[in-house]
Amino acid sequence: MGLSFHELDVDDNGLITPPETEISSALIEQFAKLDCDKSDTSSPREFARFKQ
């Protein structure tokens, strides 16, 4: 997946929400694992784990 955090953060609030993950099926599948703090969002730090 070649998308950056900023490309996925469509509303530019500094977080990725489940609707914003719809652009990537791989991210949809991994979102629950990425959301380490169970906030229903993914921070840049959490997203970085996905990119590894």
Side-chain angles (χ1 to χ4, degrees), residues 28-50:
I28 291 169
E29 293 173 9
Q30 296 295 316
F31 189 79
K33 291 179 185 175
L34 291 175
D35 184 16
C36 297
D37 62 2
K38 306 302 180 212
S39 64
D40 206 32
T41 62
S42 179
S43 68
R45 175 180 254 162
E46 291 170 322
F47 182 74
R49 292 184 186 128
F50 176 74

Side-chain angles (χ1 to χ4, degrees), residues 6-24:
H6 296 290
E7 290 171 310
L8 290 167
D9 181 19
V10 176
D11 62 5
D12 200 30
N13 69 346
L15 299 167
I16 297 172
T17 60
E20 292 171 318
T21 66
E22 292 176 2
I23 195 169
S24 167

